[in-house]
Amino acid sequence: MSEPESRQGVPEPVATANSGAVAVVGLDLRGETPAPKKQVYSWALWDWATQPFNTVILTFVFTALYLVGEGFLPADVAALDKNDQVRLAAEADLASGLGLGSTIAAFGILLLAPVLGQRADAAGRQKLWLGIGTGALILCMLGLWFVEPTPSLFWLGVALISAATVFQEIAAVNSNAMLIGIANPKNVGRISGLGWGFGYLGGIIALVIVVVLDTFDWFGMSTDNGLAYRLIAVGCAVWAIIFSIPIFLNVPEPSLGRPERKVGFFASYPLLVKDVAGLYRNEETRPTFWYLLASAVFRDGLGGVFAFGAIIGTAVFHFEAQDIIIFGIVANLIAGVSTIAAGRLDDRLGPKRIILASIGSMIVAGLAVFFLRDAGSMVFWIGGLVLCAFVGPAQAAARSFLARVTPAGREGEIFGLYATTGRAASWMASGAWTLLIVLTSQTAYGILGIVIVLIAGFLLLLPVKAPR
């Protein structure tokens, strides 16, 4: 048996995207042979391992209930009535500050993700960069232990969460690249949906643990000085350590590497530009080029739903801490089930149809939440859960769409570009969120910012050629 077959079970690619020959899509190399279930589930567990950062820290608990809460307001402002305009404006400043941190993180991803992905491809070391990104994410979560509830530490919290976002994206680039090593064209939608679904279900378990601890008053432990929230961050880090181990033990590298493309770090940038131009010039890979641009916009809108959803619940609909956590549990359950189910539809109907149907439904739900917000909390329960039911299928289908058009041997680079175009465009959702809040001094108008980005992404995806 040859060396490529012994390590991968698939032959080496016979053409690259910018060679002028017909590109071999990475998924085609496995053929009809399914990957062992152990590899598939080990790969999906990485989403389970890292999802508590998104669910517990970034969305429903740490940021929404703690970092943008009264503990980080000046004492005289925190003493004001909750409906006082001065206090509302100060809370909006915290929300916009978090949005600014997200925008800065996007530029970090812009500079690093595709180049690091290209270098991982050249060396055949996706696991190494997966480990670096995952490890740095864990360290950032551990660092949140030091973010005590005082205005002077607000920006430390924003910096750690923003840095964690960058490192998680670098890790996700390589996790996504490894999907191509275990999937084929007939099951990539199902496997991609399984990963996203595992992530949401892992988020549920993490949130349930938080609810249990809160219900029993942390079993008598003091929760002063933000101790409960800081322990939650540490718990998410420990969770990530435990459940990220299987992917390193059981899932193979997606390729053996391309030594001829090894260059210095700064030389990687002109090589990257050349490769992107090659994607456009080659008719076979041109759909990949256009999809990267279109997905940049709509995925930013998808990210905005979870990044700012819980803040909308607390600041606009006045959900209490327990309410927002329960909402998070229900939302993740719906998202997990719908995502796993939609993965099978992806393989039957194609990812583009799943994405367009999901985004269209989210636009309607988002507008309903904004215009009916004075009707009470039931609007957020219904509209928010509809949004969550479709955001997961759109995310999973977006990943399988790209996997279906990724040239063999360029998995890390293409998914690096995917991360870059997505997160580098995240100034759109976070910027629109921040701008509308600043102009109106009302957090509710941030909803419109997210919806506007979703509409733009929907329109840009329409003319993109769907993969076979």
Side-chain angles (χ1 to χ4, degrees), residues 44-119:
L45 270 178
W46 186 84
D47 281 307
W48 172 291
T50 56
Q51 183 63 24
F53 168 72
N54 297 306
T55 302
V56 177
I57 294 178
L58 197 58
T59 304
F60 291 108
V61 181
F62 194 91
T63 56
L65 303 180
Y66 182 58
L67 193 59
V68 297
E70 65 178 24
F72 293 90
L73 295 173
D76 57 333
V77 175
L80 298 173
D81 184 79
K82 290 187 177 181
N83 295 318
D84 188 283
Q85 291 301 312
V86 174
R87 174 166 175 158
L88 290 174
E91 290 174 345
D93 287 342
L94 293 178
S96 63
L98 184 62
L100 177 62
S102 298
T103 304
I104 294 172
F107 285 102
I109 295 168
L110 166 67
L111 294 174
L112 294 175
V115 168
L116 293 180
Q118 181 268 328
R119 294 173 67 79

Coordinates of all heavy atoms in Angstrom, one line a residue, residues 44-119:
A44 N -17.0 15.5 15.3 CA -18.2 16.2 15.7 C -18.0 16.7 17.2 O -18.6 17.7 17.6 CB -19.5 15.4 15.6
L45 N -17.3 15.9 18.0 CA -17.2 16.3 19.4 C -16.4 17.6 19.6 O -16.5 18.3 20.6 CB -16.5 15.2 20.2 CG -17.4 14.1 20.8 CD1 -16.5 13.1 21.5 CD2 -18.3 14.8 21.8
W46 N -15.6 18.0 18.6 CA -14.9 19.3 18.7 C -15.9 20.4 18.8 O -15.7 21.4 19.6 CB -13.9 19.5 17.6 CG -13.0 20.7 17.8 CD1 -11.9 20.8 18.5 CD2 -13.3 22.0 17.3 NE1 -11.4 22.1 18.5 CE2 -12.3 22.9 17.8 CE3 -14.3 22.6 16.5 CZ2 -12.2 24.3 17.5 CZ3 -14.3 24.0 16.2 CH2 -13.2 24.8 16.7
D47 N -16.9 20.4 18.0 CA -18.0 21.4 18.1 C -18.6 21.4 19.5 O -18.9 22.4 20.1 CB -19.0 21.2 17.0 CG -18.6 21.7 15.7 OD1 -18.2 22.9 15.6 OD2 -18.6 20.9 14.7
W48 N -18.9 20.2 20.0 CA -19.4 20.0 21.4 C -18.5 20.6 22.4 O -18.9 21.3 23.3 CB -19.6 18.5 21.6 CG -20.0 18.1 23.0 CD1 -19.2 18.1 24.1 CD2 -21.2 17.5 23.4 NE1 -19.9 17.7 25.2 CE2 -21.1 17.3 24.8 CE3 -22.4 17.2 22.8 CZ2 -22.2 16.7 25.6 CZ3 -23.4 16.6 23.5 CH2 -23.3 16.4 24.9
A49 N -17.2 20.4 22.2 CA -16.2 20.9 23.2 C -16.1 22.4 23.2 O -15.9 23.0 24.3 CB -14.8 20.3 22.8
T50 N -16.2 23.1 22.1 CA -16.0 24.5 22.0 C -17.2 25.4 22.1 O -17.2 26.6 22.2 CB -15.1 24.9 20.8 OG1 -15.8 24.4 19.6 CG2 -13.8 24.3 20.9
Q51 N -18.4 24.7 21.9 CA -19.7 25.5 21.8 C -20.0 26.2 23.1 O -20.6 27.3 23.0 CB -20.8 24.5 21.4 CG -22.2 25.2 21.3 CD -22.2 26.2 20.2 OE1 -21.4 26.1 19.2 NE2 -23.1 27.2 20.3
P52 N -19.7 25.7 24.3 CA -19.9 26.5 25.5 C -19.3 27.9 25.5 O -19.9 28.8 26.1 CB -19.3 25.6 26.6 CG -19.5 24.3 26.1 CD -19.2 24.3 24.7
F53 N -18.2 28.1 24.8 CA -17.7 29.5 24.6 C -18.7 30.3 23.9 O -19.0 31.5 24.4 CB -16.4 29.5 23.8 CG -16.0 30.9 23.4 CD1 -15.5 31.8 24.4 CD2 -16.1 31.3 22.1 CE1 -15.2 33.1 24.0 CE2 -15.8 32.6 21.7 CZ -15.3 33.5 22.7
N54 N -19.3 29.8 22.8 CA -20.3 30.6 22.1 C -21.6 30.7 22.9 O -22.2 31.8 23.0 CB -20.6 29.9 20.8 CG -19.4 29.9 19.9 OD1 -18.8 30.9 19.6 ND2 -19.1 28.8 19.4
T55 N -22.1 29.6 23.4 CA -23.4 29.6 24.1 C -23.4 30.2 25.5 O -24.3 31.1 25.8 CB -23.9 28.1 24.2 OG1 -24.0 27.5 22.9 CG2 -25.3 28.0 24.8
V56 N -22.5 29.8 26.3 CA -22.5 30.2 27.7 C -21.8 31.6 27.9 O -22.3 32.5 28.6 CB -21.9 29.2 28.6 CG1 -21.8 29.6 30.0 CG2 -22.7 27.9 28.5
I57 N -20.6 31.7 27.3 CA -19.8 32.9 27.5 C -20.2 34.0 26.5 O -20.5 35.2 27.0 CB -18.3 32.6 27.3 CG1 -17.8 31.7 28.4 CG2 -17.5 33.9 27.3 CD1 -16.4 31.3 28.3
L58 N -20.3 33.8 25.2 CA -20.5 34.8 24.2 C -21.9 35.3 24.1 O -22.2 36.4 23.8 CB -20.0 34.3 22.9 CG -19.7 35.4 21.8 CD1 -18.7 36.4 22.3 CD2 -19.2 34.8 20.5
T59 N -22.9 34.4 24.4 CA -24.3 34.7 24.1 C -25.2 34.8 25.3 O -25.7 35.9 25.5 CB -24.8 33.6 23.1 OG1 -24.0 33.5 22.0 CG2 -26.3 34.0 22.7
F60 N -25.3 33.8 26.1 CA -26.4 33.8 27.0 C -26.1 34.1 28.5 O -27.0 34.5 29.2 CB -27.1 32.4 27.0 CG -27.9 32.1 25.7 CD1 -27.4 31.2 24.8 CD2 -29.0 32.8 25.4 CE1 -28.1 30.9 23.7 CE2 -29.7 32.5 24.3 CZ -29.2 31.6 23.4
V61 N -24.8 34.0 28.9 CA -24.6 34.1 30.3 C -23.5 35.2 30.5 O -23.8 36.3 31.1 CB -24.1 32.8 30.9 CG1 -23.8 33.0 32.4 CG2 -25.2 31.7 30.7
F62 N -22.2 34.9 30.2 CA -21.2 35.8 30.7 C -21.3 37.2 30.1 O -21.2 38.2 30.9 CB -19.8 35.2 30.3 CG -18.6 35.9 31.0 CD1 -18.2 35.4 32.2 CD2 -18.0 37.0 30.4 CE1 -17.1 36.0 32.8 CE2 -17.0 37.6 31.1 CZ -16.5 37.1 32.3
T63 N -21.5 37.4 28.8 CA -21.6 38.8 28.3 C -22.9 39.4 28.6 O -23.0 40.5 29.0 CB -21.3 38.8 26.8 OG1 -22.3 37.9 26.1 CG2 -19.9 38.3 26.4
A64 N -24.0 38.6 28.3 CA -25.4 39.2 28.4 C -25.7 39.5 29.9 O -26.4 40.6 30.1 CB -26.4 38.3 27.8
L65 N -25.4 38.7 30.8 CA -25.8 38.8 32.2 C -24.7 39.4 33.1 O -25.0 39.9 34.2 CB -26.2 37.5 32.8 CG -27.3 36.8 32.0 CD1 -27.6 35.4 32.7 CD2 -28.6 37.6 31.9
Y66 N -23.5 39.5 32.6 CA -22.4 39.9 33.5 C -21.6 41.1 32.9 O -21.6 42.2 33.4 CB -21.5 38.8 33.8 CG -20.3 39.1 34.7 CD1 -20.6 39.6 36.0 CD2 -19.0 38.8 34.3 CE1 -19.5 39.8 36.8 CE2 -18.0 39.1 35.1 CZ -18.2 39.6 36.4 OH -17.1 39.8 37.2
L67 N -21.0 40.9 31.7 CA -20.1 41.9 31.2 C -20.8 43.2 30.8 O -20.2 44.2 30.9 CB -19.3 41.3 30.0 CG -18.1 42.1 29.5 CD1 -17.1 42.2 30.6 CD2 -17.5 41.4 28.3
V68 N -22.0 43.1 30.3 CA -22.7 44.3 29.9 C -23.8 44.6 31.0 O -24.7 45.4 30.7 CB -23.4 44.2 28.6 CG1 -22.3 44.0 27.5 CG2 -24.4 43.1 28.5
G69 N -23.6 44.1 32.2 CA -24.5 44.4 33.3 C -24.1 45.5 34.2 O -23.0 46.2 34.0
E70 N -24.8 45.7 35.3 CA -24.6 46.9 36.2 C -23.3 46.8 36.9 O -22.8 47.9 37.4 CB -25.8 47.0 37.2 CG -25.9 45.8 38.2 CD -27.0 46.1 39.1 OE1 -28.0 46.8 38.8 OE2 -26.9 45.5 40.2
G71 N -22.7 45.6 37.1 CA -21.4 45.6 37.8 C -20.3 46.3 37.1 O -19.3 46.7 37.7
F72 N -20.4 46.6 35.8 CA -19.4 47.3 35.0 C -19.8 48.8 34.7 O -19.2 49.5 34.0 CB -19.1 46.6 33.8 CG -18.4 45.2 34.0 CD1 -19.2 44.1 34.2 CD2 -17.0 45.1 34.1 CE1 -18.6 42.9 34.4 CE2 -16.4 43.9 34.4 CZ -17.2 42.8 34.6
L73 N -20.9 49.2 35.4 CA -21.3 50.6 35.3 C -20.7 51.4 36.4 O -20.5 50.8 37.5 CB -22.9 50.7 35.4 CG -23.7 50.1 34.2 CD1 -25.2 50.2 34.5 CD2 -23.4 50.9 32.9
P74 N -20.4 52.7 36.3 CA -20.0 53.5 37.4 C -21.1 53.4 38.5 O -22.3 53.3 38.2 CB -19.9 54.9 36.8 CG -19.7 54.7 35.3 CD -20.5 53.4 35.0
A75 N -20.6 53.5 39.8 CA -21.5 53.3 40.9 C -22.7 54.2 40.9 O -23.8 53.8 41.2 CB -20.7 53.4 42.2
D76 N -22.5 55.5 40.5 CA -23.6 56.5 40.5 C -24.6 56.2 39.4 O -25.8 56.4 39.6 CB -23.0 57.9 40.4 CG -22.2 58.1 39.1 OD1 -21.6 57.1 38.6 OD2 -22.1 59.2 38.6
V77 N -24.1 55.6 38.3 CA -25.1 55.3 37.2 C -25.8 54.0 37.6 O -27.0 53.9 37.3 CB -24.3 55.1 35.9 CG1 -25.2 54.6 34.8 CG2 -23.6 56.4 35.5
A78 N -25.2 53.0 38.2 CA -25.8 51.8 38.6 C -26.9 52.0 39.6 O -27.8 51.2 39.7 CB -24.8 50.8 39.1
A79 N -26.8 53.1 40.4 CA -27.8 53.4 41.4 C -29.1 54.0 40.8 O -30.1 54.1 41.5 CB -27.2 54.3 42.4
L80 N -29.1 54.4 39.6 CA -30.2 55.0 39.0 C -31.3 54.0 38.7 O -31.0 52.8 38.6 CB -29.8 55.7 37.7 CG -28.8 56.9 37.8 CD1 -28.4 57.4 36.4 CD2 -29.5 58.0 38.6
D81 N -32.5 54.4 38.4 CA -33.6 53.5 38.1 C -33.3 52.8 36.7 O -32.7 53.4 35.9 CB -34.9 54.3 37.9 CG -36.1 53.4 37.7 OD1 -36.6 52.8 38.6 OD2 -36.5 53.3 36.5
K82 N -33.8 51.6 36.6 CA -33.4 50.9 35.4 C -34.0 51.5 34.1 O -33.5 51.2 33.0 CB -34.0 49.4 35.5 CG -33.2 48.6 36.5 CD -33.7 47.1 36.5 CE -32.9 46.3 37.4 NZ -33.3 44.8 37.4
N83 N -35.0 52.3 34.2 CA -35.6 53.0 33.1 C -35.0 54.4 32.9 O -35.5 55.1 31.9 CB -37.1 53.0 33.2 CG -37.7 51.7 33.1 OD1 -37.3 50.8 32.3 ND2 -38.7 51.4 33.9
D84 N -34.1 54.8 33.7 CA -33.5 56.2 33.6 C -32.7 56.3 32.3 O -32.0 55.3 32.0 CB -32.6 56.5 34.8 CG -32.1 57.9 34.8 OD1 -31.2 58.2 34.0 OD2 -32.7 58.7 35.6
Q85 N -32.9 57.3 31.5 CA -32.2 57.5 30.2 C -30.7 57.5 30.3 O -30.0 57.0 29.4 CB -32.7 58.8 29.5 CG -34.2 58.7 29.1 CD -34.4 57.6 28.1 OE1 -33.7 57.4 27.2 NE2 -35.5 56.8 28.4
V86 N -30.2 58.0 31.4 CA -28.7 58.0 31.6 C -28.2 56.6 31.8 O -27.2 56.2 31.2 CB -28.3 58.9 32.8 CG1 -26.8 58.8 33.1 CG2 -28.7 60.3 32.6
R87 N -28.9 55.8 32.6 CA -28.5 54.4 32.8 C -28.7 53.6 31.5 O -27.8 52.8 31.1 CB -29.3 53.8 33.9 CG -29.0 52.3 34.0 CD -29.5 51.7 35.3 NE -29.3 50.3 35.3 CZ -29.3 49.6 36.4 NH1 -29.4 50.1 37.6 NH2 -29.1 48.3 36.4
L88 N -29.8 53.8 30.8 CA -30.0 53.1 29.5 C -28.9 53.5 28.5 O -28.4 52.6 27.8 CB -31.4 53.5 28.9 CG -32.6 52.9 29.7 CD1 -33.9 53.5 29.1 CD2 -32.6 51.4 29.7
A89 N -28.5 54.7 28.5 CA -27.4 55.1 27.5 C -26.1 54.5 27.9 O -25.3 54.0 27.1 CB -27.3 56.6 27.5
A90 N -25.8 54.4 29.3 CA -24.6 53.8 29.7 C -24.6 52.3 29.4 O -23.5 51.7 29.0 CB -24.4 54.0 31.2
E91 N -25.7 51.6 29.6 CA -25.8 50.2 29.2 C -25.6 50.0 27.7 O -25.0 49.0 27.3 CB -27.2 49.6 29.7 CG -27.3 49.5 31.2 CD -28.7 49.1 31.6 OE1 -29.6 49.2 30.7 OE2 -28.9 48.7 32.8
A92 N -26.2 50.9 26.9 CA -26.0 50.9 25.5 C -24.5 51.0 25.1 O -24.0 50.4 24.2 CB -26.8 51.9 24.8
D93 N -23.8 51.8 25.9 CA -22.3 52.0 25.7 C -21.6 50.7 25.9 O -20.6 50.4 25.2 CB -21.8 53.1 26.6 CG -22.2 54.5 26.2 OD1 -22.6 54.7 25.0 OD2 -22.1 55.4 27.0
L94 N -22.0 49.9 26.9 CA -21.4 48.6 27.2 C -21.6 47.7 26.0 O -20.7 47.0 25.5 CB -21.9 48.0 28.5 CG -21.5 48.7 29.8 CD1 -22.1 48.0 31.0 CD2 -20.0 48.8 30.0
A95 N -22.9 47.7 25.5 CA -23.2 46.8 24.4 C -22.4 47.2 23.1 O -21.9 46.3 22.4 CB -24.7 46.9 24.1
S96 N -22.3 48.5 22.9 CA -21.6 48.9 21.7 C -20.1 48.7 21.9 O -19.4 48.4 20.9 CB -21.8 50.4 21.4 OG -21.4 51.2 22.5
G97 N -19.6 48.7 23.1 CA -18.2 48.4 23.4 C -17.9 46.9 23.1 O -16.8 46.6 22.5
L98 N -18.8 46.1 23.4 CA -18.7 44.7 23.0 C -18.7 44.5 21.5 O -17.9 43.7 21.0 CB -19.8 43.9 23.7 CG -19.7 42.3 23.5 CD1 -18.5 41.8 24.1 CD2 -21.0 41.7 24.1
G99 N -19.5 45.3 20.9 CA -19.6 45.2 19.4 C -18.3 45.7 18.8 O -17.8 45.1 17.8
L100 N -17.7 46.7 19.4 CA -16.4 47.2 18.9 C -15.3 46.1 19.0 O -14.5 45.9 18.1 CB -16.0 48.5 19.7 CG -14.6 49.1 19.3 CD1 -14.6 49.5 17.9 CD2 -14.3 50.2 20.3
G101 N -15.3 45.4 20.1 CA -14.4 44.3 20.3 C -14.5 43.2 19.2 O -13.6 42.7 18.7
S102 N -15.8 42.9 18.9 CA -16.0 42.0 17.8 C -15.5 42.4 16.5 O -15.0 41.7 15.7 CB -17.6 41.7 17.7 OG -18.1 41.2 18.9
T103 N -15.6 43.7 16.2 CA -15.2 44.3 15.0 C -13.6 44.2 14.9 O -13.1 43.9 13.8 CB -15.6 45.8 14.9 OG1 -17.0 45.8 15.0 CG2 -15.2 46.4 13.5
I104 N -13.0 44.5 16.0 CA -11.5 44.4 16.0 C -11.0 43.0 15.8 O -10.1 42.7 15.1 CB -10.9 45.0 17.3 CG1 -11.2 46.5 17.4 CG2 -9.4 44.8 17.5 CD1 -10.9 47.1 18.7
A105 N -11.8 42.1 16.4 CA -11.4 40.6 16.3 C -11.5 40.2 14.8 O -10.7 39.4 14.3 CB -12.3 39.8 17.1
A106 N -12.5 40.8 14.1 CA -12.7 40.4 12.7 C -11.4 40.8 11.9 O -11.0 40.0 11.0 CB -13.9 41.2 12.1
F107 N -10.8 41.9 12.2 CA -9.6 42.3 11.5 C -8.4 41.4 11.8 O -7.6 41.1 11.0 CB -9.2 43.8 11.7 CG -10.2 44.7 11.0 CD1 -11.2 45.4 11.7 CD2 -10.0 45.0 9.7 CE1 -12.0 46.2 11.1 CE2 -10.9 45.8 9.0 CZ -11.9 46.5 9.7
G108 N -8.4 40.9 13.0 CA -7.4 39.9 13.4 C -7.5 38.6 12.6 O -6.5 38.0 12.1
I109 N -8.8 38.2 12.4 CA -9.0 37.0 11.6 C -8.7 37.3 10.1 O -8.1 36.4 9.4 CB -10.5 36.6 11.7 CG1 -10.7 36.1 13.2 CG2 -10.8 35.5 10.8 CD1 -12.2 36.0 13.5
L110 N -9.0 38.5 9.6 CA -8.6 38.9 8.3 C -7.1 38.7 8.0 O -6.7 38.2 7.0 CB -9.0 40.3 8.1 CG -8.4 41.0 6.8 CD1 -9.0 40.4 5.6 CD2 -8.7 42.5 6.9
L111 N -6.3 39.0 9.0 CA -4.8 39.0 8.8 C -4.3 37.6 8.9 O -3.2 37.3 8.3 CB -4.1 39.9 9.7 CG -4.4 41.4 9.5 CD1 -3.8 42.3 10.7 CD2 -3.9 41.9 8.2
L112 N -4.9 36.8 9.7 CA -4.3 35.5 10.1 C -4.9 34.2 9.5 O -4.1 33.3 9.1 CB -4.3 35.4 11.6 CG -3.4 36.4 12.4 CD1 -3.7 36.2 13.9 CD2 -2.0 36.2 12.1
A113 N -6.2 34.2 9.4 CA -6.9 32.9 9.1 C -6.4 32.3 7.8 O -6.0 31.1 7.8 CB -8.4 33.0 9.2
P114 N -6.5 33.0 6.7 CA -6.2 32.3 5.4 C -4.7 31.9 5.3 O -4.4 30.9 4.7 CB -6.6 33.3 4.3 CG -6.5 34.6 5.0 CD -6.9 34.4 6.4
V115 N -3.8 32.8 5.8 CA -2.4 32.5 5.7 C -2.0 31.3 6.5 O -1.3 30.4 6.1 CB -1.6 33.8 6.1 CG1 -0.1 33.4 6.2 CG2 -1.8 34.8 5.0
L116 N -2.6 31.3 7.8 CA -2.3 30.1 8.6 C -2.9 28.8 8.0 O -2.3 27.8 8.1 CB -2.8 30.3 10.0 CG -2.1 31.5 10.8 CD1 -2.8 31.6 12.2 CD2 -0.6 31.2 10.9
G117 N -4.1 29.0 7.4 CA -4.6 27.8 6.7 C -3.8 27.3 5.6 O -3.6 26.1 5.4
Q118 N -3.3 28.3 4.8 CA -2.4 27.9 3.6 C -1.1 27.2 4.1 O -0.7 26.2 3.5 CB -2.1 29.2 2.8 CG -1.2 29.0 1.6 CD 0.3 29.1 1.9 OE1 0.7 29.9 2.8 NE2 1.1 28.4 1.2
R119 N -0.6 27.7 5.2 CA 0.7 27.1 5.7 C 0.4 25.7 6.3 O 1.2 24.8 6.2 CB 1.3 28.1 6.8 CG 1.7 29.4 6.2 CD 2.2 30.4 7.3 NE 3.4 29.9 7.9 CZ 4.6 30.0 7.5 NH1 4.8 30.6 6.3 NH2 5.7 29.6 8.1

